[in-house]
């Protein structure tokens, strides 16, 4: 990564680490799905995974730099999936705070996205997310940019989105923030599916109290920083090659 500014190098490494964390958690889908990140200090530049590689193969140097229309901005020889970026670009384009966009096709996420009643506010994690998750109707694979305004409308000022029949999506000002949001949503979906029998909805009055309590928890650094750092240390014990 010679000649790459320190800010971009740092962004590449943190994003590559995030791909490895997703792999560690099993949030992978063959060579599909994307986590995208704005390049700090460079307007209109984004990093995306090279198309054709598994998340476990992503490293700082093979991430591809592209513009908002999916045109490459570096001399990478790796292909990218322009269709895959269309959905992410809708959020990066419309929301200045959407520095990071994550999208998964996990079994639990897609299963809850396929349930008629969607996410049920019946467990610790979904109660913490109550009122914070938008729902977007399925329009087929997201390859048309005209779906962008409808995706933003479905998000409705929230930071997490269930794509009906399809999967989960979160945005964040940082990778750790988007990661922690995705982790909570994924856990909520997993627990909802694991519940065997009629579920007990969380009392609306308790939801408010629960959300207030969660927001007052002791914070270490910015949102998600400590959680993400712990996961990166875990990944490091397996393979440190994401830094390269
Ligand atoms: Zn998808």
């Amino acid at each position: 990564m010679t000649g790459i500014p320190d800010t971009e190098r740092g962004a590449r490494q943190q994003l590559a680490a995030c791909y490895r964390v997703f792999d560690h958690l099993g949030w992978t889908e063959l060579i599909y799905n994307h986590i995208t990140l704005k390049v700090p200090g460079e307007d209109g530049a984004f990093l995306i995974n090279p198309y054709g590689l598994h998340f476990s193969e992503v490293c700082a140097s093979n991430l591809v730099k592209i513009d908002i229309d999916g045109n490459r901005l570096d001399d990478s020889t790796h292909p990218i999936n322009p269709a895959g970026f269309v959905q992410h670009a809708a959020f990066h384009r419309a929301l200045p705070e959407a520095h990071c966009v994550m999208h998964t096709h996990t079994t639990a996420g897609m299963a809850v996205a396929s349930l008629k009643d969607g996410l049920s506010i019946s467990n610790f994690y979904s109660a913490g997310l109550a009122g914070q998750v938008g729902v977007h109707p399925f329009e087929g694979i997201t390859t048309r940019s005209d779906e962008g305004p409808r995706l933003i409308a479905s998000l409705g000022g929230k930071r997490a989105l269930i794509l009906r029949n399809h999967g989960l999506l979160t945005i964040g000002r940082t990778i750790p923030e988007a990661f922690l949001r995705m982790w909570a949503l994924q856990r909520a979906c997993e627990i909802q599916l694991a519940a065997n029998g009629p579920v007990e909805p969380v009392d609306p009055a308790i939801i408010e109290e629960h959300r207030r309590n969660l927001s007052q928890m002791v914070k270490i650094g910015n949102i998600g920083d400590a959680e993400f750092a712990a996961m990166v240390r875990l990944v490091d014990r397996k393979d440190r090659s994401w830094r390269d």
Side-chain angles (χ1 to χ4, degrees):
M1 289 194 289
T2 48
I4 291 179
D6 285 348
T7 48
E8 181 180 333
R9 183 191 306 268
R12 281 177 174 272
Q13 288 188 326
Q14 192 183 36
L15 182 58
C18 189
Y19 277 98
R20 301 299 186 94
V21 169
F22 271 44
D23 171 56
H24 178 82
L25 291 167
W27 299 354
T28 59
E29 191 79 340
L30 294 177
I31 58 169
Y32 309 120
N33 292 172
H34 309 283
I35 311 163
T36 53
L37 180 69
K38 268 185 187 169
V39 178
E42 190 173 342
D43 271 351
F46 304 86
L47 295 169
I48 192 169
N49 48 324
Y51 193 44
L53 298 190
H54 191 263
F55 282 10
S56 61
E57 300 174 297
V58 172
C59 60
S61 60
N62 64 26
L63 287 164
V64 184
K65 187 156 80 167
I66 54 177
D67 68 14
I68 193 69
D69 297 312
N71 302 305
R72 58 179 65 245
L73 297 173
D74 61 16
D75 53 7
S76 168
T77 54
H78 288 282
I80 62 139
N81 178 13
F85 186 60
V86 167
Q87 176 180 253
H88 289 238
F91 298 97
H92 287 303
R93 196 187 301 271
L95 306 170
E97 72 277 23
H99 288 267
C100 178
V101 180
M102 301 177 168
H103 169 52
T104 61
H105 284 189
T106 59
T107 302
M110 201 183 280
V112 168
S114 307
L115 290 175
K116 193 149 199 64
D117 293 331
L119 187 68
S120 108
I121 308 304
S122 56
N123 66 61
F124 185 96
Y125 291 113
S126 61
L129 291 165
Q132 305 299 307
V133 185
V135 177
H136 182 69
F138 190 46
E139 297 189 19
I141 190 166
T142 317
T143 55
R144 301 169 313 278
S145 55
D146 67 286
E147 192 179 356
R150 294 190 291 279
L151 282 163
I152 301 304
S154 296
L155 189 66
K158 303 179 176 80
R159 297 293 172 264
L161 190 59
I162 292 179
L163 301 162
R164 274 217 182 284
N165 314 107
H166 180 175
L168 307 179
L169 184 142
T170 60
I171 67 172
R173 290 166 295 181
T174 64
I175 289 175
E177 184 185 297
F179 167 74
L180 189 58
R181 202 162 274 143
M182 179 62 85
W183 180 84
L185 183 55
Q186 171 69 18
R187 290 291 292 141
C189 293
E190 289 170 357
I191 295 159
Q192 179 174 335
L193 296 174
N196 188 14
V199 294
E200 176 76 9
V202 178
D203 185 310
I206 300 297
I207 290 173
E208 284 310 304
E209 177 68 15
H210 182 54
R211 287 186 47 74
R212 200 165 34 248
N213 291 342
L214 287 175
S215 71
Q216 290 166 352
M217 276 174 59
V218 174
K219 291 185 179 60
I220 307 170
N222 295 313
I223 298 171
D225 281 358
E227 292 86 346
F228 185 74
M231 293 307 297
V232 175
R233 291 194 297 274
L234 196 58
V235 162
D236 263 346
R237 278 175 232 144
K238 291 204 295 194
D239 181 357
R240 299 172 63 89
S241 65
W242 53 267
R243 287 180 176 77
D244 301 340

